[in-house]
Amino acid sequence: MKENSTSGMNRRNFLELSAIGLTGLTILPSWTMSDGTRIAPSDRVVMGFIGLGQQGINDFGSFSSVPGVQIAACCDVDSMKQKRFKKRVEAWQASKSIAGRCDMYEQYEELLERTDIDAVEVCSPDHWHALMTIHACQAKKDVYVQKPLSFTITESLQMVKVAKANKRVVQVGTQQRSSKEFQKAIELVQAGAIGHIEKIYAKVGDPPKPLDLPEMAIPGNLNFNLWMGPLNDPNIHYHPDLCPPISLEPEEREKLWGAWRWYRETGNGFTADWGAHMFDIAQAAIGMDGSGPALITPKGYKDQPYLTFKYLTGVEMTEQPYLEDMPNAQGIKFIGTKGWIEVARGYLACSDASLVPAELAGRRPKNLTPEERKKMFEEMQKSAAKGSGSFEISSPHMQNFIDSVRSRNNPIAPIEVGCSTAITCCLGNMATELQRPVKWNPATLSFGDDKEAAAHRLYHYDYRNPYSLYK
């Protein structure tokens, strides 16, 4: 197992020891667009990327389309992914007549010490989101952090506290908030277009399962000890599915998304992976941003057919298919006293068709077989590897973040919203694991006298030494 002398330091200790070598860093030169348009220094936003896997590569594609963004540095525990990212960034810089530079780091604390960096993207596995975001805020960087906001409820609450204390702009990567079909669905629900909302179907997928991957030898380009970071579980070991490998010559992307998200020891399953999107939109529409459900009942409890969230307003949200003939398609159906609304990526429909603008209607999702999904994924990989496409383009969401960095106004998906959504996802998994209903007070952020729920690992867990959530 590869060790690193500073992998366990908290940021405060690191800052006391890390001044060496940092004085030679310089600010990137002025940016002139290829068409001759010059971006004013006051409008340029210099970024660093932490986490350079598939999502990091995709997000670079989106951020690079935002005028005035410069990318100065990157960080990952896999040295090959560092080199891949640097190569792509410097090719993009050359195409924009920007002086080529993208410094590489294994330790994210070193990147945060850069005085020329205004903002960072945190695109690491979920168990690192809290510490990286907290330390970035303490370093006075604004943050774009991928969803879900955190691995546990306590982490989310601490992230909000630190972001506020340091007056940082934090955007959560729930890019559906910036998509017009979802914005329209929220608008229609809140305008009462389908009457009073009674039920919501939000299909996201299965909860996580126990880690069942065999242990394998750690490749030399990967610091797996640093990848583990604060995770505190002796059953976690290296397997390539957790950290999908790549090649550089020839360049080949990851063949799957990091499987850490599907296991209890390292992630929160589809409940959080897609719940961070669909539960997020559902709560936004019914006015529950910053709040959450009061009663969470797991699937199978007294013949309960679906994981169910009940809000104090009486609205009930169930994790069930929103399209009867497409049980695995992720999306949302709002059911009101006067009709219904269905929404998914690239699709919006309503019982009153006149309420849906033609340009937002899109196409009804296809019920792809597993083989068809695999083929589609492979084609997207080939396209993205050639630089002609991406798995997920979120440019409007990135533009909103950069606009907020400049204006100091709240972004469309601020950290408080990401916190309430992450809490909802964690509560769903807690009820599932406890195999009974869980009561939550969204006002006091507590479980009342339910000591078992308050002691659950998804509320709070002790980090591996020497990591700490509060330093």
Side-chain angles (χ1 to χ4, degrees):
M1 181 176 290
K2 187 176 180 182
E3 299 287 338
N4 191 296
S5 60
T6 62
S7 64
M9 285 189 177
N10 62 49
R11 182 176 179 271
R12 181 177 301 168
N13 292 335
F14 182 87
L15 296 185
E16 293 173 353
L17 301 173
S18 63
I20 299 174
L22 296 177
T23 56
L25 298 174
T26 57
I27 298 176
L28 285 172
S30 299
W31 185 15
T32 301
M33 301 285 284
S34 57
D35 63 0
T37 303
R38 193 173 182 82
I39 301 297
S42 60
D43 286 335
R44 290 196 304 274
V45 176
V46 181
M47 293 189 66
F49 276 66
I50 305 173
L52 311 176
Q54 293 202 96
Q55 192 63 54
I57 288 290
N58 292 344
D59 288 355
F60 158 65
S62 295
F63 271 114
S64 65
S65 71
V66 178
V69 168
Q70 293 179 348
I71 298 169
C74 63
C75 174
D76 199 275
V77 297
D78 186 328
S79 61
M80 290 182 69
K81 292 179 182 177
Q82 293 175 25
K83 294 173 183 176
R84 175 180 66 175
F85 193 86
K86 177 182 175 69
K87 180 180 178 181
R88 292 201 178 196
V89 169
E90 292 185 345
W92 164 72
Q93 288 169 333
S95 73
K96 298 294 183 182
S97 300
I98 307 171
R101 179 174 182 179
C102 182
D103 297 323
M104 300 183 297
Y105 299 94
E106 184 180 73
Q107 300 285 339
Y108 73 90
E109 294 97 332
E110 293 183 70
L111 185 152
L112 294 181
E113 266 295 274
R114 292 275 295 265
T115 58
D116 60 330
I117 290 178
D118 305 304
V120 298
E121 160 146 20
V122 173
C123 203
S124 57
D126 299 351
H127 66 271
W128 262 116
H129 284 185
L131 287 183
M132 290 177 174
T133 299
I134 286 170
H135 294 164
C137 289
Q138 291 171 337
K140 305 303 180 183
K141 314 298 184 190
D142 296 319
V143 184
Y144 184 102
V145 55
Q146 265 301 337
K147 57 81 195 171
L149 181 64
S150 68
F151 189 37
T152 71
I153 291 174
T154 303
E155 286 176 330
S156 276
L157 298 175
Q158 183 67 5
M159 292 165 81
V160 171
K161 180 179 179 180
V162 174
K164 285 184 175 180
N166 288 276
K167 299 179 180 179
R168 294 297 92 198
V169 170
V170 180
Q171 173 94 300
V172 184
T174 47
Q175 76 276 4
Q176 289 181 173
R177 292 254 174 172
S178 295
S179 296
K180 293 187 181 300
E181 67 271 25
F182 289 99
Q183 291 177 343
K184 187 63 177 180
I186 293 171
E187 175 191 324
L188 290 173
V189 168
Q190 294 185 345
I194 58 172
H196 175 70
I197 301 300
E198 297 180 325
K199 292 184 179 180
I200 304 171
Y201 300 161
K203 180 62 180 177
V204 300
D206 295 332
K209 59 182 180 179
L211 182 64
D212 59 0
L213 297 172
E215 185 171 5
M216 298 183 72
I218 302 171
N221 56 287
L222 175 67
N223 186 336
F224 188 67
N225 182 55
L226 190 53
W227 181 91
M228 287 267 297
L231 284 178
N232 190 14
D233 192 316
N235 295 320
I236 302 172
H237 49 253
Y238 173 76
H239 185 280
D241 284 5
L242 296 178
C243 312
I246 65 168
S247 65
L248 297 177
E249 299 293 341
E251 183 174 319
E252 291 186 3
R253 284 184 67 142
E254 298 88 337
K255 291 183 169 57
L256 74 163
W257 293 100
W260 49 264
R261 70 196 71 220
W262 312 133
Y263 300 103
R264 288 182 182 178
E265 295 83 351
T266 54
N268 278 321
F270 282 98
T271 309
D273 193 50
W274 274 94
H277 288 304
M278 300 306 173
F279 296 161
D280 180 68
I281 294 297
Q283 292 194 155
I286 60 174
M288 286 293 153
D289 276 346
S291 184
L295 178 66
I296 305 90
T297 305
K299 176 181 178 180
Y301 178 78
K302 293 186 177 180
D303 298 322
Q304 178 77 19
Y306 304 106
L307 172 64
T308 301
F309 303 86
K310 192 161 186 177
Y311 296 83
L312 292 174
T313 58
V315 177
E316 194 172 84
M317 177 172 69
T318 51
E319 194 287 308
Q320 72 179 88
Y322 81 108
L323 298 173
E324 292 183 4
D325 58 335
M326 298 183 189
N328 296 317
Q330 283 96 355
I332 309 168
K333 185 168 187 173
F334 297 96
I335 301 172
T337 53
K338 297 180 181 178
W340 53 264
I341 293 170
E342 295 172 346
V343 64
R345 294 185 182 180
Y347 169 68
L348 177 63
C350 181
S351 51
D352 181 351
S354 67
L355 296 175
V356 179
E359 66 272 16
L360 297 183
R363 292 191 297 179
R364 199 171 190 270
K366 294 181 179 180
N367 196 22
L368 300 178
T369 65
E371 292 75 20
E372 289 172 329
R373 287 183 181 276
K374 181 179 179 181
K375 183 177 180 181
M376 180 180 70
F377 185 82
E378 290 172 347
E379 291 300 318
M380 292 169 72
Q381 278 186 310
K382 293 176 183 178
S383 177
K386 294 176 182 178
S388 59
S390 173
F391 293 103
E392 190 172 69
I393 295 296
S394 311
S395 300
H397 207 54
M398 278 64 172
Q399 180 70 66
N400 175 260
F401 171 66
I402 298 300
D403 289 344
S404 295
V405 169
R406 290 171 176 148
S407 70
R408 311 314 296 169
N409 294 326
N410 275 338
I412 197 169
I415 191 167
E416 295 86 355
V417 167
C419 175
S420 59
T421 301
I423 288 174
T424 298
C425 297
C426 287
L427 291 172
N429 281 336
M430 289 174 65
T432 298
E433 292 181 24
L434 293 174
Q435 298 184 318
R436 63 168 175 81
V438 170
K439 293 181 180 180
W440 172 253
N441 187 325
T444 62
L445 302 172
S446 66
F447 297 100
D449 59 358
D450 189 342
K451 295 181 180 179
E452 185 180 29
H456 194 278
R457 65 179 182 84
L458 290 180
Y459 180 71
H460 171 78
Y461 76 101
D462 293 326
Y463 282 174
R464 184 171 66 130
N465 284 332
Y467 297 94
S468 173
L469 181 63
Y470 302 104
K471 294 182 182 179

